[in-house]
Amino acid sequence: MRPLLFLILFIHTALADFWDDRNTLLSNEASQLFGSFWELTENEQKVNDILMKFKLQEYDEGLSNPSKFLPSIHFFHSKAAIEQSEVFKFIQKVPKGASLHSHSTAMLSTEALLNLTYMEGLYGCDDNTKFKLHFFFGGVNDDCDWRLLEDLRNEDSGFDDFLRSKMTLVVDDPAGTCCDINEVWSAFEDIFEFVAPLFDYRQFLHDYLYQVLREFHDDNVKYLEIRGVFGETFDSNNTIYGPLDTAQLYKETQQEFAIDSQDFAGHRVIYSNSRKVSIDTMDSYISDYLELRAAYPEIVVGFDLVGQEDLGEPLSVFADQLATIANRTKFFFHAGETNWYGTTDLNLIDAILLNTSRIGHAFAITKHPEVLRVVKERNIAIELNPISNQVLKLVDDLRNHVGAYLIANGYPVVITCDGPSFWGAKGLSYDWYMAFMGMTPREGDLRILKELAWNSYVYTALDKEGLPFILNLLQGWWDDFIKEILEAYH
């Protein structure tokens, strides 16, 4: 009996040790999870119960039928179903605080952008099978057979469908074998080139900016940091306005919107020009930036370089030039938006050496343990762009996105939207949904959403002296949201 008793006791002890150790490991992991330090109030817990009912139902249905789990499906095919998701509808109501990474000419929803093409004076031209747009007042250029869009629409009932196809990357078979990452990026940059002439007309730019602020505000986003440049514009009298005048237009449009929406916290612009340039051109960028920053410090808040990293110049090429202004500006570099290892991803090294305040995308960051260490030590926020990374072919299934690792390990992250106009999204909620459902654990709850909201202000380019004030505003919006959800679902 004694050997048998000993064996029973040994097995019992071993099993107890297994379950104790398992619970300890799970507890340790949970304590590292992004947002885990938040203590929910009684009312927040009630709201969390509502959220988790929706999440667990959707998540567990995905476990039973993986082909239906929306973050694993390309956004072009999942968008309609996302809009029916109770989790998505919940996230739309969340005060998301700030949107910190989106490109100025790719922010407005596709349909709203299409509607703006009904403005007077807009012409189109098919130039060697390349369709172009331009505003003309008082006569057109003779370089092409320019036709009023109004006439083109009257002649062809399908013209708007054609125009819409020129303004988005949306296709029927996005996950097919039609194209590699370079081809998708080429199409992406073609859209920027196609819509660019619209923003030369001052009235269009004003109306566009105002509607961008409205769409994001309607999505419970109260502050924006926009990547963009300030070019020349003209009005209907063909008067030319310089870059400083364009910056003034941004400022005036913000002031106008703030009168109509008094809970709006404003917007700022991170000067962002192409990374595929020469040393001399970079000198001109820096000169333009410093002039704009000096004239409009309340609008122009930082510097970045944009464009496909794989085919652009690495940050190291411009390191000496950028270092000359490092003590006079904040950097918000795109870096690591790549699947390569040991080439393009080295921009991550350069970005932190140049003391970047945030990193855009950082998709390759897990390949660089020293960068991960510095990011945590310096509290450098990572701007995650889930849908953009999927559409631009860095990842197919968002459960495999690098954001899952960063969230599991409590790294400072914000969820951003990059260029929602070009893939048929609107505002920030779609990306928050993809991150919450695809990159957080099954039990990841309201605390994650709350941390995302707070991070969106903690990591802005705004002066930190004003941070307590804006976080106090966010607390008020959050309290109103909790009350709204309780009233709506009880």
Side-chain angles (χ1 to χ4, degrees):
M1 291 292 294
R2 287 181 180 177
L4 180 59
L5 178 60
F6 176 80
L7 179 61
I8 292 172
L9 289 173
F10 175 80
I11 293 173
H12 177 77
T13 302
L15 287 174
D17 288 344
F18 170 84
W19 290 109
D20 288 344
D21 290 347
R22 187 176 192 272
N23 290 334
T24 298
L25 284 173
L26 289 173
S27 178
N28 288 342
E29 283 198 348
S31 69
Q32 297 176 52
L33 182 66
F34 180 87
S36 61
F37 68 89
W38 286 104
E39 294 287 342
L40 298 182
T41 66
E42 181 180 350
N43 281 341
E44 285 176 329
Q45 187 57 58
K46 292 177 181 177
V47 170
N48 189 49
D49 292 342
I50 295 168
L51 170 63
M52 294 308 291
K53 176 184 177 183
F54 297 147
K55 180 177 183 178
L56 296 182
Q57 179 180 354
E58 190 170 325
Y59 200 97
D60 292 346
E61 286 174 353
L63 283 170
S64 298
N65 189 350
S67 67
K68 300 296 184 181
F69 189 60
L70 298 179
S72 71
I73 303 170
H74 196 285
F75 181 68
F76 296 167
H77 291 162
S78 66
K79 177 175 178 277
I82 289 172
E83 291 167 350
Q84 299 304 312
S85 161
E86 293 298 330
V87 175
F88 177 73
K89 294 173 185 176
F90 183 99
I91 285 174
Q92 284 182 301
K93 299 178 187 298
V94 174
K96 286 168 281 294
S99 175
L100 301 183
H101 180 134
S102 46
H103 296 269
S104 60
T105 58
M107 295 178 67
L108 191 63
S109 64
T110 307
E111 293 309 306
L113 179 61
L114 184 67
N115 287 339
L116 284 178
T117 65
Y118 280 78
M119 294 181 71
E120 293 184 5
L122 183 57
Y123 288 74
C125 170
D126 193 352
D127 184 12
N128 293 324
T129 71
K130 188 173 185 178
F131 193 78
K132 302 188 298 185
L133 296 172
H134 200 288
F135 282 99
F136 291 107
F137 301 95
V140 301
N141 293 343
D142 60 4
D143 61 337
C144 196
D145 182 22
W146 293 102
R147 304 277 309 284
L148 272 170
L149 256 62
E150 180 182 2
D151 294 339
L152 294 173
R153 287 186 168 107
N154 288 336
E155 294 171 7
D156 181 4
S157 61
F159 180 78
D160 274 355
D161 290 334
F162 162 76
L163 200 57
R164 188 183 292 106
S165 73
K166 302 290 290 182
M167 291 178 168
T168 77
L169 288 167
V170 178
V171 293
D172 292 335
D173 186 25
T177 58
C178 66
C179 39
D180 60 29
I181 192 168
N182 287 354
E183 291 172 304
V184 172
W185 260 97
S186 178
F188 184 49
E189 291 176 340
D190 283 348
I191 301 175
F192 278 108
E193 181 182 353
F194 176 71
V195 300
L198 298 172
F199 298 89
D200 295 339
Y201 178 39
R202 196 167 179 82
Q203 187 63 50
F204 181 95
L205 178 58
H206 166 273
D207 291 0
Y208 173 92
L209 285 172
Y210 191 94
Q211 290 194 41
V212 163
L213 300 180
R214 169 57 59 199
E215 283 193 349
F216 277 83
H217 184 272
D218 289 347
D219 196 33
N220 286 301
V221 176
K222 307 300 176 98
Y223 171 79
L224 300 175
E225 287 183 2
I226 301 170
R227 261 58 169 214
V229 294
F230 302 96
E232 286 189 347
T233 60
F234 61 89
D235 63 18
S236 59
N237 296 317
N238 291 314
T239 302
I240 304 297
Y241 299 84
L244 291 176
D245 299 311
T246 304
Q248 178 65 23
L249 178 63
Y250 271 74
K251 180 178 179 179
E252 291 172 356
T253 305
Q254 171 179 294
Q255 292 170 337
E256 179 186 346
F257 186 78
I259 293 172
D260 297 337
S261 303
Q262 296 185 8
D263 61 347
F264 179 61
H267 79 276
R268 302 291 185 272
V269 176
I270 297 168
Y271 178 95
S272 307
N273 223 323
S274 173
R275 68 193 319 127
K276 197 173 183 179
V277 295
S278 67
I279 295 290
D280 289 342
T281 299
M282 183 58 63
D283 282 336
S284 70
Y285 285 174
I286 291 173
S287 177
D288 291 345
Y289 165 71
L290 292 176
E291 182 181 15
L292 286 159
R293 171 74 176 149
Y296 290 96
E298 71 281 24
I299 292 292
V300 183
V301 293
F303 188 94
D304 187 15
L305 297 173
V306 298
Q308 187 183 5
E309 285 185 73
D310 290 342
L311 300 183
E313 296 290 356
L315 286 175
S316 58
V317 168
F318 310 115
D320 291 342
Q321 294 162 285
L322 295 170
T324 65
I325 63 170
N327 63 345
R328 290 181 283 170
T329 191
K330 293 179 179 179
F331 292 130
F332 300 89
F333 288 124
H334 281 65
E337 188 182 2
T338 182
N339 276 321
W340 294 108
Y341 186 11
T343 55
T344 308
D345 53 308
L346 297 183
N347 281 329
L348 289 162
I349 303 287
D350 302 330
I352 63 171
L353 291 175
L354 288 165
N355 200 30
T356 192
S357 296
R358 298 194 305 263
I359 302 176
H361 296 283
F363 191 82
I365 195 169
T366 54
K367 298 167 183 172
H368 294 278
E370 281 299 292
V371 175
L372 285 167
R373 179 184 62 80
V374 172
V375 160
K376 266 204 171 177
E377 284 181 358
R378 297 186 190 172
N379 206 24
I380 301 170
I382 306 300
E383 303 164 349
L384 299 179
N385 296 269
I387 298 173
S388 172
N389 295 157
Q390 186 187 61
V391 171
L392 296 179
K393 287 190 173 291
L394 288 179
V395 60
D396 293 326
D397 185 335
L398 288 172
R399 291 173 296 180
N400 298 324
H401 193 282
V402 64
Y405 174 88
L406 299 174
I407 288 169
N409 288 275
Y411 280 85
V413 302
V414 293
I415 303 301
T416 53
C417 58
D418 207 20
S421 178
F422 294 176
W423 33 85
K426 182 178 182 180
L428 198 52
S429 287
Y430 291 95
D431 283 279
W432 271 50
Y433 168 86
M434 287 297 210
F436 184 64
M437 290 302 299
M439 301 181 197
T440 73
R442 181 178 181 274
E443 300 297 333
D445 61 12
L446 184 66
R447 293 172 297 168
I448 289 175
L449 298 182
K450 188 171 185 178
E451 178 73 349
L452 286 174
W454 258 254
N455 273 7
S456 74
Y457 281 131
V458 169
Y459 296 106
T460 66
L462 298 171
D463 292 336
K464 298 310 176 187
E465 291 78 10
L467 188 58
F469 173 75
I470 201 165
L471 289 180
N472 187 56
L473 289 177
L474 178 57
Q475 183 65 60
W477 299 327
W478 183 267
D479 292 342
D480 290 342
F481 154 72
I482 295 297
K483 182 179 179 181
E484 177 189 359
I485 294 296
L486 290 176
E487 290 176 349
Y489 291 98
H490 280 92

